[in-house]
Amino acid sequence: MTEEVMLHGCLNNNAAAQEALYTRFSPRMLGVCYRFARNREDAEDMLQEGFIKVFSQLYQFRNQGALEGWIRRIIVHTCINVLKKNKKFSESVDLIHANSIHLNENNIHSILQAKQVVESIRLLPLGYRTVLNLYAIEGFSHREIAHILDIEESTSRSQYTRAKAMLEDILIKKKILYKPREHFAMTASGANK
Amino acid sequence: MTMERKFYTDKFEDLIKESADDFKMIPSKKVWQGLYNDLHPGRKWPSLVVTFALIFGLLTISYLNTQQHEQLNTNVSDLGKSSLNSSNKNSSLINNTNTKTAAQVAPQRQTISKQSSTSTSSSSVPVAVLANTSIKNLSYYDFEENAETKGEGQLSSRSTSFNENIFKPIAGVADDIHKSNLTPQTAVDQPHVVGNQDINSPEYFNNRISNLPAALINIDKPLSQNSADVNLTTDESNTTKNQKVKKVRTSKVRWMYSLSPTVSYRRYTAFEAPNANTVLSGLTNAVPAFDVNRKSSQHPSSGLEAGITMKYPLNKYFKFTSGFQANYSSYIIEARTVHSTTANLLLQNERTGMPYAFSNSAYYGNGAGINPVNLRNYAVSISLPVGLEYLLGGNDWVKFYVAATAQPVLALASKSYVLSTDNKFYLTNPEMARHINMATNFGAFMSVNSKKINWQLGPQVNYQMLSSFTDIYPVKEHYVNYGIKLAFGRR
């Protein structure tokens, strides 16, 4: 089913077209939700709520850009709204007072391939994770992030810096990432042999 | 990305983004099912599934708990039939001429007992000596009259002259005799007491047979002076002593199983709404004057009632009825999909009456919108109907009744789309649903009897007395169900 046929069917409330659209985009969108949610169940709740909004607002999509990008934006907004509605931020870490967070080394245990990076991201405290997701992955500006999360722009920048440092630390410990100095030392020792 | 690729930290953000974009997860099936139900609410069938499951449960329970009539062995007639021998050429069961009841025979007993000749068989079951009547060989049991070839313990050849006298067995007497171990000789010679009664005495005989069904006896021929006592064979006595007279009981209660497809309508009653503009702030839309025939398009839909009823006759015309019933009612609202928006519903505090606004997301509009959609309002409930039936008339096979019941109702599941305060959107609020209700049912039916089954068919109407909503919602909604009821049960 082409995207145009699918869109037309969804606008006519055709169940087959709706299922086709859902089947095509839901795996990637669930991955998006999974990065924001605390667990898989929460992620699926976000996904369902997000797709309800997608179908109800589909008439607003005017083919200006990719459909996936348009859906993804709705999903991301839904995730943020769910987190704000459920006050998940207060349960984990305050965006401002996150300096004393220490990672549990036991949580950084083996994860594989792309999932490893995502799981590493999920190890971050909720506030760090949200800002990092929105800026580094979803492409929001700090100004937009500040508006969405109802924080200052400077706070968004500082939180992203801290989140990035913490994630680097995790990935280095898992040897998914190497710092430039370490990498240079390794290659040099290899050349001398 | 593979494990072998090592990225410098200056490409950190690229690593994160690329990894995240590659990451996919397959959602569970329940996500799509929940999404589908939200997008297509009119196609849900869980209520019907629940209804059919309730019907099946009702039938199973009623089958296991069906009352069984106690029918026990009959009395005299069965004993008489079992002892009659088809090879008896001369036997006749009933002689209509010159017959007497057993009670009439009784006073003559003593004469015979004194005149009885000896009977030497000691192995046979002793019998009581019989009354002195014109009957030759009266016995408490039927006997064979082809006795010429019989030896001891059976009828003597003299019984051939007693060819028309069949005396129906008198229940209980043989048992007494058997217990007493009375022999024919002793029965003749000595009075014997059984249960403080001399079984050879006329009083005992009279007492025993006075209430029995009439034993038709031919008294044409006088009893021979030399009539012997009649001895029974052991087999006959064993047969009869095992047969007991028991009482036949039948229950008045009848159980009927019913099924009724219905058509459900919705009826609104008067609405009294406070003026939100003067009381509440924040609502942007004024509350219009309420019109009972609110501008919403709806049409009736199908429903179902199934149950089991107990009927107990009070007298010739009235029957008391009680039972258990499962109900499904629904109607359709024609709406149109709209983009998600916030709609308001004006409610009122049950205790104080103060109005307040309930806000919720609305996806369906009244009139304006994108695509047409049917919204199904439904209710699944169980009830306990109690009432009366009145017989109008009829014969043994066909009868006509009218019936009425009142039934407390417990709502198990329901969904109601209601019009928002500004009449523009449909939204739901589960907190408004009333769980306990009351209904009345009126109907007429024809009752037809087949060989084993009683069938009933007729129209009925069911009216929900209380509103589907609690008092927090000022609008009163009542379900009215019209249907045809089919019922069946054992006669």
Side-chain angles (χ1 to χ4, degrees):
Chain A
M1 191 181 290
T2 64
E3 196 170 286
E4 186 178 343
V5 172
M6 200 163 53
L7 275 173
H8 184 73
C10 290
L11 288 172
N12 290 327
N13 205 30
N14 181 278
Q18 290 170 335
E19 187 173 6
L21 186 144
Y22 168 82
T23 304
R24 181 177 295 190
F25 296 110
S26 63
R28 197 181 294 272
M29 296 306 127
L30 183 58
V32 172
C33 297
Y34 191 62
R35 284 188 276 109
F36 286 93
R38 189 163 53 178
N39 50 46
R40 186 187 173 104
E41 287 72 30
D42 289 351
E44 288 188 343
D45 290 342
M46 292 174 180
L47 179 74
Q48 182 174 336
E49 192 167 334
F51 264 94
I52 290 175
K53 292 183 179 179
V54 164
F55 287 117
S56 64
Q57 299 174 17
L58 199 61
Y59 71 96
Q60 296 177 352
F61 177 69
R62 300 178 191 281
N63 288 318
Q64 296 174 351
L67 178 61
E68 181 176 345
W70 182 82
I71 292 175
R72 186 172 180 144
R73 208 163 182 92
I74 293 177
I75 295 294
V76 169
H77 277 288
T78 303
C79 293
I80 298 299
N81 288 336
V82 169
L83 292 176
K84 288 168 66 178
K85 175 184 174 183
N86 295 334
K87 299 180 182 177
K88 295 293 186 184
F89 288 112
S90 62
E91 295 175 6
S92 57
V93 61
D94 190 286
L95 281 173
I96 298 175
H97 304 290
N99 292 333
S100 58
I101 294 297
H102 297 286
L103 280 175
N104 185 353
E105 295 292 332
N106 292 330
N107 291 338
I108 318 171
H109 221 48
S110 60
I111 21 180
L112 300 174
Q113 300 177 354
K115 192 176 189 305
Q116 293 191 18
V117 175
V118 172
E119 292 293 347
S120 300
I121 293 173
R122 294 188 68 250
L123 290 175
L124 298 175
L126 181 62
Y128 285 1
R129 187 200 321 159
T130 305
V131 173
L132 185 127
N133 276 324
L134 290 174
Y135 183 80
I137 302 173
E138 304 303 332
F140 286 87
S141 66
H142 285 296
R143 179 178 293 182
E144 290 173 322
I145 293 172
H147 179 73
I148 291 171
L149 300 182
D150 198 21
I151 57 175
E152 297 293 326
E153 187 176 337
S154 58
T155 305
S156 175
R157 292 179 190 278
S158 63
Q159 295 308 307
Y160 173 70
T161 304
R162 295 195 185 105
K164 183 178 171 182
M166 192 176 287
L167 184 60
E168 278 182 347
D169 191 42
I170 295 170
L171 294 176
I172 288 170
K173 286 179 180 176
K174 282 304 298 174
K175 297 183 180 178
I176 299 172
L177 203 64
Y178 289 95
K179 288 186 177 177
R181 185 178 299 178
E182 292 175 359
H183 179 75
F184 182 76
M186 284 173 62
T187 53
S189 63
N192 290 334
K193 288 183 180 176
Chain B
M1 187 195 78
T2 64
M3 285 297 295
E4 286 74 28
R5 293 176 62 186
K6 313 294 183 198
F7 284 86
Y8 295 99
T9 53
D10 55 348
K11 294 186 179 179
F12 172 72
E13 291 171 358
D14 293 339
L15 166 67
I16 296 175
K17 185 171 176 53
E18 190 176 339
S19 301
D21 287 344
D22 288 342
F23 182 67
K24 295 180 182 179
M25 292 173 67
I26 304 299
S28 60
K29 290 182 181 178
K30 68 175 183 178
V31 177
W32 170 246
Q33 288 171 358
L35 190 59
Y36 181 87
N37 289 335
D38 271 319
L39 296 172
H40 304 277
R43 299 182 189 180
K44 277 194 260 189
W45 293 102
S47 301
L48 283 182
V49 171
V50 170
T51 301
F52 283 116
L54 278 174
I55 293 171
F56 178 76
L58 280 170
L59 292 175
T60 303
I61 291 170
S62 61
Y63 173 76
L64 293 174
N65 292 331
T66 299
Q67 287 188 359
Q68 296 185 1
H69 299 296
E70 295 181 18
Q71 287 198 359
L72 307 169
N73 291 331
T74 56
N75 46 9
V76 173
S77 59
D78 287 342
L79 290 173
K81 289 178 185 176
S82 64
S83 58
L84 275 178
N85 194 317
S86 59
S87 62
N88 187 347
K89 299 176 183 177
N90 297 319
S91 65
S92 62
L93 184 61
I94 297 173
N95 191 326
N96 290 324
T97 61
N98 298 320
T99 56
K100 279 191 175 180
T101 64
Q104 290 173 316
V105 172
Q108 303 175 29
R109 178 177 179 278
Q110 188 162 3
T111 307
I112 292 179
S113 64
K114 292 181 180 178
Q115 295 175 352
S116 298
S117 59
T118 58
S119 173
T120 56
S121 171
S122 59
S123 61
S124 63
V125 175
V127 297
V129 178
L130 302 176
N132 179 23
T133 68
S134 59
I135 301 168
K136 279 190 177 180
N137 290 324
L138 283 177
S139 166
Y140 287 100
Y141 303 94
D142 291 336
F143 56 89
E144 299 178 7
E145 293 209 36
N146 54 344
E148 290 181 2
T149 57
K150 290 187 185 294
E152 280 190 6
Q154 296 182 5
L155 289 173
S156 67
S157 60
R158 284 170 291 182
S159 65
T160 53
S161 62
F162 187 50
N163 56 0
E164 294 176 343
N165 300 318
I166 301 295
F167 196 103
K168 287 196 173 181
I170 301 172
V173 176
D175 285 343
D176 292 342
I177 297 168
H178 179 65
K179 288 174 188 173
S180 68
N181 292 321
L182 200 64
T183 64
Q185 187 62 41
T186 55
V188 174
D189 299 336
Q190 303 171 13
H192 190 88
V193 178
V194 175
N196 297 324
Q197 280 188 311
D198 178 6
I199 64 171
N200 285 330
S201 66
E203 291 78 15
Y204 173 80
F205 187 82
N206 293 337
N207 188 38
R208 271 294 185 180
I209 70 172
S210 60
N211 293 323
L212 291 174
L216 302 177
I217 306 165
N218 190 327
I219 56 172
D220 280 344
K221 297 184 179 180
L223 189 64
S224 164
Q225 295 292 327
N226 295 318
S227 62
D229 294 333
V230 177
N231 296 318
L232 286 175
T233 61
T234 307
D235 290 340
E236 286 176 336
S237 64
N238 286 338
T239 301
T240 53
K241 78 180 179 184
N242 290 331
Q243 293 171 332
K244 298 180 181 178
V245 176
K246 293 183 181 177
K247 193 175 178 182
V248 175
R249 296 182 222 157
T250 57
S251 172
K252 286 186 176 180
V253 175
R254 291 290 178 267
W255 295 90
M256 301 294 292
Y257 311 100
S258 63
L259 191 68
S260 174
T262 60
V263 176
S264 304
Y265 291 80
R266 176 207 69 184
R267 180 172 176 269
Y268 277 157
T269 56
F271 169 83
E272 295 179 2
N275 188 343
N277 289 332
T278 58
V279 177
L280 295 174
S281 62
L283 283 181
T284 57
N285 300 313
V287 179
F290 178 72
D291 181 10
V292 168
N293 297 314
R294 302 187 84 182
K295 296 177 182 177
S296 65
S297 180
Q298 58 98 20
H299 58 265
S301 182
S302 58
L304 189 68
E305 294 176 3
I308 177 172
T309 307
M310 177 213 68
K311 301 190 179 186
Y312 183 82
L314 300 175
N315 54 37
K316 185 179 176 182
Y317 294 100
F318 283 97
K319 285 184 185 176
F320 171 78
T321 64
S322 178
F324 177 82
Q325 187 170 290
N327 315 289
Y328 172 80
S329 305
S330 69
Y331 65 90
I332 301 293
I333 295 176
E334 296 172 358
R336 300 187 81 89
T337 57
V338 296
H339 66 273
S340 174
T341 187
T342 300
N344 298 313
L345 202 60
L346 190 62
L347 304 178
Q348 62 184 18
N349 188 290
E350 285 183 271
R351 285 178 299 170
T352 64
M354 287 297 296
Y356 65 96
F358 168 82
S359 299
N360 200 3
S361 298
Y363 303 98
Y364 308 102
N366 178 27
I370 305 168
N371 298 306
V373 64
N374 287 334
L375 306 178
R376 181 178 293 274
N377 281 14
Y378 67 87
V380 179
S381 61
I382 54 175
S383 59
L384 300 175
V386 176
L388 291 172
E389 285 181 1
Y390 178 71
L391 173 64
L392 295 174
N395 54 34
D396 288 341
W397 298 103
V398 180
K399 292 185 172 66
F400 295 91
Y401 291 86
V402 289
T405 61
Q407 31 187 288
V409 179
L410 174 66
L412 301 177
S414 65
K415 189 159 191 177
S416 293
Y417 288 91
V418 295
L419 207 53
S420 61
T421 306
D422 56 6
N423 291 337
K424 291 183 179 179
F425 303 102
Y426 286 102
L427 65 161
T428 61
N429 181 9
E431 294 178 359
M432 296 187 329
R434 185 187 296 274
H435 299 294
I436 296 177
N437 215 311
M438 196 71 184
T440 55
N441 186 295
F442 300 95
F445 62 90
M446 178 176 68
S447 172
V448 178
N449 285 324
S450 63
K451 276 190 178 179
K452 293 184 179 180
I453 304 292
N454 172 250
W455 300 90
Q456 297 176 359
L457 182 70
Q460 64 167 18
V461 58
N462 185 299
Y463 181 76
Q464 179 183 295
M465 303 290 291
L466 303 178
S467 171
S468 304
F469 311 117
T470 61
D471 292 339
I472 65 174
Y473 188 50
V475 176
K476 311 293 181 188
E477 176 194 85
H478 304 265
Y479 275 96
V480 185
N481 302 320
Y482 299 92
I484 300 290
K485 186 173 183 178
L486 171 67
F488 62 93
R490 293 176 66 179
R491 285 189 61 185

